[in-house]
Amino acid sequence: THELLVFQTPLPFEAFGGPGDHLSLALRNNPEKFRRLPVGGRPMGIKLLDGGKRALVANSLLNALQEVDLDSGKVLRTIDLGGASDQTLARRGEAIFYDATRSFNQWYSCGSCHVEGHTGGGNFDTLNDGSYMTMKKTLSLRGASTTGPYTWHGHRLTLRELVHDSIVKSMQGPEPPVEDLDALEAYIKTLDFAPARKSRSAVEAAARGRGAKLFDARGCAKCHSAPNYTTAAVYSVGLESPENVHKGFNPPPLKGVGTRGPWLHDGRASSLDEVLTEHHKPSALSGTKDFSPAELKDVVEFLRGL
């Protein structure tokens, strides 16, 4: 929301459990208790100075530090940190990505769920899948520009459709202008997969090699094909809900899968071991034999290294 929020304790609610879905009137109508100080950009961190009379704000999108007087609410000075002076299309898209004013009542931005362009790991009823109360885990946007189709069901064929639905349906925001969609697409195209984790020993490297061969031999690569370990098809995997409007699932890329827990479309698996022994067993999906404990260890090591 591009703001510094100033609270004066004690607050009219208990910290445990939160204040609820709506702002307390006791806060909204009392400027001595709660104020919004506009600072612009994307404020990311704060350091109180002068016994709480001033604040130093780290503002990411402005590439600056801002000194704010908390009594007057004014930005006293802005310290430029030397960022790029020209705003590229992708940089403008990044500002939109972290702009909660694009959503209903400023409740959230794209970045609220896709943390730093990745995923926060939570389940949400985003409404863009055409059904209610069919909770889905937030997908990572890393590598999204090259791994369509989109959504868990793969029913959005282009990145433009995905971006539009996210703003209008998931965030319940106003219809975005074409130039905003262009900027958001440009920003998402900068979100690449994290580098693969290097083997820490010869033993670990050997385990990954064995795991890669098992991954192919048990039919996993049919749906999760290299180099990004995904395909553009939609598959029935036995985890579908009858409430889903769109049937089957598009396999998400497995690059970086070790950093995306919990796993599967609704986060039902708390570990990769659980995915492969309970929900995605080779015997159920590809008709091959299940992994032995030793084989499972090798396959999980392979996946964590992607």
Side-chain angles (χ1 to χ4, degrees), residues 128-269:
N128 70 359
D129 60 358
S131 57
Y132 291 91
M133 298 311 294
T134 50
M135 308 293 279
K136 303 289 195 307
K137 182 192 154 187
T138 302
L139 284 160
S140 174
L141 292 179
R142 290 178 180 173
S145 64
T146 60
T147 55
Y150 302 97
T151 77
W152 277 102
H153 297 296
H155 71 287
R156 285 293 175 247
L157 301 181
T158 67
L159 191 57
R160 175 60 58 101
E161 291 176 289
L162 176 72
V163 168
H164 176 271
D165 279 6
S166 294
I167 293 178
V168 176
K169 295 181 180 179
S170 298
M171 294 164 55
Q172 303 171 62
E175 185 70 28
V178 171
E179 53 268 28
D180 285 2
L181 296 176
D182 290 340
L184 272 170
E185 278 194 75
Y187 172 63
I188 292 172
K189 287 177 180 178
T190 70
L191 302 174
D192 200 1
F193 295 108
R197 184 171 63 86
K198 295 181 179 179
S199 298
R200 292 169 293 185
S201 67
V203 172
E204 190 173 270
R208 285 191 194 178
R210 294 191 299 269
K213 292 178 180 179
L214 287 165
F215 185 86
D216 289 340
R218 301 296 165 84
C220 306
K222 176 185 176 183
C223 304
H224 295 279
S225 301
N228 294 324
Y229 296 92
T230 183
T231 50
V234 172
Y235 303 92
S236 176
V237 295
L239 304 180
E240 294 77 12
S241 165
E243 283 76 33
N244 285 329
V245 172
H246 306 283
K247 306 306 178 184
F249 294 102
N250 172 246
L254 294 184
K255 290 192 74 173
V257 68
T259 67
R260 295 207 305 263
W263 290 270
L264 300 179
H265 73 282
D266 54 3
R268 68 179 64 190

Side-chain angles (χ1 to χ4, degrees), residues 14-304:
E14 295 294 328
F16 180 79
D21 288 338
H22 302 281
L23 180 64
S24 165
L25 293 178
L27 280 184
R28 192 188 72 178
N29 299 330
N30 188 346
E32 293 183 0
K33 283 286 185 184
F34 170 74
R35 288 177 296 144
R36 299 177 180 269
L37 308 183
V39 296
R42 186 189 177 202
M44 295 285 289
I46 179 175
K47 174 71 175 179
L48 294 178
L49 308 172
D50 240 1
K53 295 180 180 179
R54 293 178 298 126
L56 194 63
V57 176
N59 199 309
S60 171
L61 285 171
L62 297 185
N63 288 316
L65 297 176
Q66 296 167 293
E67 184 184 354
V68 182
D69 182 275
L70 296 184
D71 288 330
S72 67
K74 294 180 178 179
V75 177
L76 301 176
R77 62 173 175 151
T78 298
I79 305 168
D80 187 4
L81 299 179
S85 57
D86 295 330
Q87 188 182 57
T88 64
L89 185 64
R91 184 68 166 174
R92 183 169 174 272
E94 183 181 6
I96 296 172
F97 191 85
Y98 292 107
D99 185 0
T101 64
R102 310 284 172 152
S103 72
F104 178 70
N105 274 352
Q106 298 191 147
W107 277 353
Y108 29 64
S109 70
C110 305
S112 298
C113 301
H114 298 283
V115 180
E116 300 304 317
H118 193 29
T119 174
N123 285 355
F124 298 93
D125 188 17
T126 62
L127 309 183
N128 70 359
D129 60 358
S131 57
Y132 291 91
M133 298 311 294
T134 50
M135 308 293 279
K136 303 289 195 307
K137 182 192 154 187
T138 302
L139 284 160
S140 174
L141 292 179
R142 290 178 180 173
S145 64
T146 60
T147 55
Y150 302 97
T151 77
W152 277 102
H153 297 296
H155 71 287
R156 285 293 175 247
L157 301 181
T158 67
L159 191 57
R160 175 60 58 101
E161 291 176 289
L162 176 72
V163 168
H164 176 271
D165 279 6
S166 294
I167 293 178
V168 176
K169 295 181 180 179
S170 298
M171 294 164 55
Q172 303 171 62
E175 185 70 28
V178 171
E179 53 268 28
D180 285 2
L181 296 176
D182 290 340
L184 272 170
E185 278 194 75
Y187 172 63
I188 292 172
K189 287 177 180 178
T190 70
L191 302 174
D192 200 1
F193 295 108
R197 184 171 63 86
K198 295 181 179 179
S199 298
R200 292 169 293 185
S201 67
V203 172
E204 190 173 270
R208 285 191 194 178
R210 294 191 299 269
K213 292 178 180 179
L214 287 165
F215 185 86
D216 289 340
R218 301 296 165 84
C220 306
K222 176 185 176 183
C223 304
H224 295 279
S225 301
N228 294 324
Y229 296 92
T230 183
T231 50
V234 172
Y235 303 92
S236 176
V237 295
L239 304 180
E240 294 77 12
S241 165
E243 283 76 33
N244 285 329
V245 172
H246 306 283
K247 306 306 178 184
F249 294 102
N250 172 246
L254 294 184
K255 290 192 74 173
V257 68
T259 67
R260 295 207 305 263
W263 290 270
L264 300 179
H265 73 282
D266 54 3
R268 68 179 64 190
S270 60
S271 68
L272 290 173
D273 293 60
E274 183 183 339
V275 171
L276 297 172
T277 57
E278 294 186 29
H279 311 293
H280 272 11
K281 296 191 295 184
S283 59
L285 293 183
S286 62
T288 58
K289 67 176 183 177
D290 293 332
F291 299 115
S292 69
E295 289 174 334
L296 178 65
K297 188 174 180 181
D298 288 342
V299 173
V300 168
E301 183 56 47
F302 162 68
L303 293 174
R304 290 195 176 279

